[in-house]
Amino acid sequence: MVDDQLPARRGRGLGAVKPGPGEVVRFANHLRELQGELQVTQDELARRLHVSPSTLSRYMSGERVPEREFLLGIYGMLGKRADLADPAGDFKHSVEILFAAKERKEPLSHRIWILELAKERLENEIKEGRDKAASLERKLKEEISRRCELEAELDELRSEITQRAADRHRMGELQELRVTVDEKVHELEGVLRQQRSVVTLLEGDREKLSSALGDAERQASLNSLIRTGWSEGEGQRWAQDGELKEHVVQQAGELFDEGESEKGDNLLSVYARGIVSGQLVEFVVALYANDRRPAAMRLLSREVSTRSVSEVIKLMRKFWEKGRREEYSQVGIKEVDFILDSFLAQRGAGEIAKLLNAMAESDIFDVSEVARIVTLGRWAVMFPEIYPVLSSSVREMYLRKTLEGDSRTAAAAIIWLSLEPGADGYPVPLSFMEELEESKKLAISKHLRKSGWSDEASMMAIYGTTDLGR
């Protein structure tokens, strides 16, 4: 065993182990061994353990014994397992040396350590005991609950046994009552059959009266429709009545056959004003079925002249969807084209632009074809009024589609409306002009010059330069 006092050594140098109790000296030497494993200086070790160099020097020299956490810090740096509650391996060896040194150097602190560890172990045991007690309490509650269920089941069986005796007596009484009730039921069934026969006769009379009443109401509505048109709210109510629709078609047909075409057209128009776009499509189909196609086309033209842009779009979509959905439908894309032609012929530039914007957002229309139609023929003169109202995305699409076509005059007109002057006064060419063929660029430049542009400005618009040899 190491002596309590070691002989003094001469020339130890700073931080050497001083003579003292053997346990303390042994721990100081053990600290130096751990420092050697870490391969760091005392200053670096002090910095990483968050103690002052002088304090660390006292630990290393045996003047003082550190706290347990100091040893935990060193083992943390070494990356080794360190648990004061359950020390093992190298750490257990180090803890034993530390505790021996602490007991010799600071007996009171050593006793506090021992008591703290004992308290911690006791608290752990208490926690484990409480957990076991809680588990036992849960099991006890489950068994008590199970016992209550069994007792309830036993009570129920006892009650059933008692009830059976009373039930046997009651069964005799009920059998006697059943015979009496059977006789009453037989009697009531006969009365019910008679009553049902009466109800059947009455329902037949009601259907006849309802049919007669419906015919009278439809005829009255038809007469009112011919004289004054729909009253407020009446249109949608009668639009659901297919028989009234047939009455209108039949009455209008009679007027056409008698040479009263104006009255017939007026009747159709008055009826159409009270129905929505989907019902109007079905009304046109009914006119087709009665060989009244010309009248149906005149009706569509009049409706297009009065309905809003959004309602016209809905009407075109309804025709398109019906033709696509029904393989042998009498209506479809022809009616869509007819509605479009009627709208362009009857409406102003602002409404035409709104229609084109709405069509561009739809998935059923060929907008490039619409753009070609509007920029040619009788609508070309109003295109400068239409163009500013179009959305920017629609403008670019129209311009691209038109430049892909063969109309140089239309292309020149659209370019003239699209180009903005630059800082030097010349127009800034559109970004996608470079995609065009050279022959098409020259043709458009020629038409710009015919429109009054100078050679330099027209070449600037197409090429972005006045260098014709580019």
Side-chain angles (χ1 to χ4, degrees), residues 213-228:
L213 177 60
D215 290 342
E217 288 179 343
R218 279 187 287 274
Q219 188 59 44
S221 296
L222 180 60
N223 293 338
S224 174
L225 185 65
I226 295 172
R227 293 194 307 272
T228 61

Side-chain angles (χ1 to χ4, degrees), residues 31 109 186 207 330 339 362 388 448:
L31 283 183
S109 297
H186 182 70
E207 291 178 0
Q330 300 181 54
I339 292 171
S362 173
L448 287 173

Side-chain angles (χ1 to χ4, degrees), residues 5 57 144 459:
Q5 297 290 334
S57 178
I144 291 174
M459 295 308 293

